[in-house]
Amino acid sequence: DEINVTGEIPIAIKLIEKKINIKSWRDMWLYICNQMYELDSMKFLEFTKDEDFLGKKNRIITLNKNECRDPEIIGERIYIEKNLNANSILNYSRMVLEKYYLTDDFIYWLQ
């Protein structure tokens, strides 16, 4: 589904029966990536080669820190792009969760 969340502010997410408060889309993206890495780090590592995470200019999930404009490390050696707009974060978050078969276990609340 195409949902436009531009200008919206997330306040909480629920993932795998755990609800947490968040302050931004970026917080949501970092939380989801860290949780999925902890759940299955080898699966998350596969995203560094997955074409779904190519992005328009740079990879969104990569082993090369220099491929990101604003990198955040996940685990010991995987980097994710933090410089994404709200819609991109929501779409990439869903894509990550889809690959773990967890889209039905994800809910977010807006302010």
Side-chain angles (χ1 to χ4, degrees):
D1 299 332
E2 285 295 317
I3 298 173
N4 185 350
V5 292
T6 301
E8 301 288 347
I9 300 170
I11 57 170
I13 63 172
K14 185 175 179 183
L15 180 60
I16 314 173
E17 299 303 316
K18 182 177 180 183
K19 184 176 179 183
I20 66 157
N21 294 324
I22 58 173
K23 296 179 181 175
S24 68
W25 292 107
R26 184 181 284 188
D27 286 351
M28 182 181 88
W29 175 232
L30 296 176
Y31 180 78
I32 288 171
C33 288
N34 277 299
Q35 292 302 302
M36 294 304 99
Y37 178 84
E38 286 183 25
L39 186 65
D40 185 343
S41 61
M42 295 309 291
K43 180 181 273 306
F44 200 86
L45 180 62
E46 292 172 10
F47 300 162
T48 63
K49 297 178 182 153
D50 190 323
E51 290 188 17
D52 288 341
F53 299 102
L54 262 173
K56 291 180 182 174
K57 293 183 180 181
N58 297 317
R59 289 202 62 83
I60 305 304
I61 302 176
T62 181
L63 294 173
N64 183 351
K65 179 180 182 177
N66 296 321
E67 288 186 351
C68 298
R69 291 180 294 175
D70 189 8
E72 176 78 19
I73 194 162
I74 302 294
E76 296 176 10
R77 62 184 183 148
I78 301 171
Y79 295 91
I80 62 169
E81 178 62 67
K82 292 189 303 186
N83 190 4
L84 299 169
N85 65 43
N87 291 321
S88 293
I89 287 174
L90 185 57
N91 289 331
Y92 284 121
S93 294
R94 285 181 171 168
M95 201 176 303
V96 166
L97 294 171
E98 185 178 281
K99 292 178 184 291
Y100 281 88
Y101 304 100
L102 291 172
T103 51
D104 292 340
D105 296 306
F106 172 64
I107 301 169
Y108 64 93
W109 289 267
L110 303 175
Q111 189 175 40

